[in-house]
Amino acid sequence: ILNVEQSPQSLHVQEGDSTNFTCSFPSSNFYALHWYRWETAKSPEALFVMTLNGDEKKKGRISATLNTKEGYSYLYIKGSQPEDSATYLCGLAWGGYQKVTFGIGTKLQVIP
Amino acid sequence: DVKVTQSSRYLVKRTGEKVFLECVQDMDHENMFWYRQDPGLGLRLIYFSYDVKMKEKGDIPEGYSVSREKKERFSLILESASTNQTSMYLCASSLEAGGYYEQYFGPGTRLTVT
């Protein structure tokens, strides 16, 4: 079983603060790294698909980078807002049909 | 919009009962997945299916089986429910686009086995 680690497990920040969290993985033998946002009582929704070393994606105030050589991806949130409060999941797509192994997630709470 | 629906949001069953969790997707996706989510353990893959009647075990298949008789529907079966199967169950479907697969999730079923 592939081991995908996320840190920290939980995070509290003040509204307006910028924050980042990490996804680390042991292997460069994968198809893609996925970031999902999972809000309470909703379905996880896709944020980014990262595919190449040095890949960088951005959506509004949220961005992500990927370093396959050193085995990590960072997710950044600039100027956190209460609506950013959610669990952020990282998953590595590998093997047949690109099944995804997920980390345990980082639970972000933005305090107004 | 892709829609993945699950038959129940909350379910309470007794130990030993046979339990069916149903998942339906409306976008003709080839692949479908069942996960369970537990505190401190994250999302773990139970089974997945890449075509009608085709299935593969995930990381934690013990105590579960699946059925995919139609492309849009993927069922998870607990043959004899046990208390350690109390969990949040999520279904997902995916389709290849540009060489990569993005998964679309249902809202989850919170199952309690007493």
Side-chain angles (χ1 to χ4, degrees):
Chain A
I1 298 176
L2 209 61
N3 190 29
V4 178
E5 294 188 355
Q6 291 189 249
S7 62
Q9 288 191 28
S10 68
L11 195 54
H12 291 78
V13 301
Q14 291 291 134
E15 182 175 353
D17 285 353
S18 294
T19 186
N20 67 84
F21 21 95
T22 306
C23 174
S24 58
F25 45 89
S27 170
S28 60
N29 190 20
F30 61 93
Y31 293 100
L33 184 140
H34 297 259
W35 281 102
Y36 284 83
R37 174 169 56 204
W38 191 2
E39 295 178 66
T40 302
K42 294 186 178 179
S43 309
E45 60 176 22
L47 280 174
F48 302 116
V49 180
M50 318 291 290
T51 57
L52 297 170
N53 190 39
D55 202 1
E56 186 167 342
K57 297 281 174 72
K58 188 173 181 182
K59 188 183 289 187
R61 294 178 292 99
I62 304 177
S63 60
T65 60
L66 175 65
N67 186 323
T68 54
K69 290 175 186 171
E70 297 189 25
Y72 65 82
S73 176
Y74 289 147
L75 190 79
Y76 300 90
I77 302 178
K78 185 177 177 182
S80 303
Q81 299 298 307
E83 58 265 29
D84 296 328
S85 297
T87 295
Y88 290 82
L89 295 173
C90 163
L92 214 59
W94 62 283
Y97 306 98
Q98 296 189 23
K99 56 179 180 261
V100 179
T101 296
F102 288 94
I104 64 171
T106 293
K107 186 171 184 177
L108 174 67
Q109 184 76 34
V110 181
I111 303 160
Chain B
D1 272 355
V2 175
K3 200 163 185 183
V4 181
T5 57
Q6 295 182 229
S7 49
S8 307
R9 290 301 301 269
Y10 299 94
L11 206 53
V12 180
K13 295 292 182 180
R14 293 193 182 276
T15 300
E17 277 193 82
K18 190 168 185 175
V19 181
F20 292 85
L21 302 182
E22 306 284 344
C23 175
V24 178
Q25 50 96 2
D26 66 357
M27 285 300 289
D28 205 36
H29 284 181
E30 301 289 337
N31 305 326
M32 296 187 75
F33 306 81
W34 274 106
Y35 296 90
R36 61 178 283 176
Q37 195 260 349
D38 300 287
L41 294 175
L43 279 174
R44 292 180 293 166
L45 181 64
I46 304 170
Y47 266 98
F48 71 99
S49 168
Y50 50 90
D51 202 349
V52 175
K53 297 189 188 293
M54 306 304 285
K55 62 187 179 186
E56 277 201 23
K57 293 179 181 179
D59 299 324
I60 50 164
E62 296 78 19
Y64 303 95
S65 62
V66 290
S67 172
R68 190 152 179 219
E69 297 295 319
K70 293 185 179 181
K71 192 174 188 179
E72 67 270 19
R73 187 179 295 268
F74 191 34
S75 303
L76 180 69
I77 304 156
L78 287 66
E79 295 289 344
S80 177
S82 63
T83 54
N84 63 13
Q85 292 178 309
T86 291
S87 187
M88 168 72 90
Y89 290 86
L90 280 105
C91 174
S93 68
S94 75
L95 184 68
E96 188 271 339
Y100 305 100
Y101 290 79
E102 185 175 299
Q103 294 197 15
Y104 296 84
F105 285 87
T109 296
R110 187 166 292 281
L111 172 68
T112 302
V113 183
T114 62

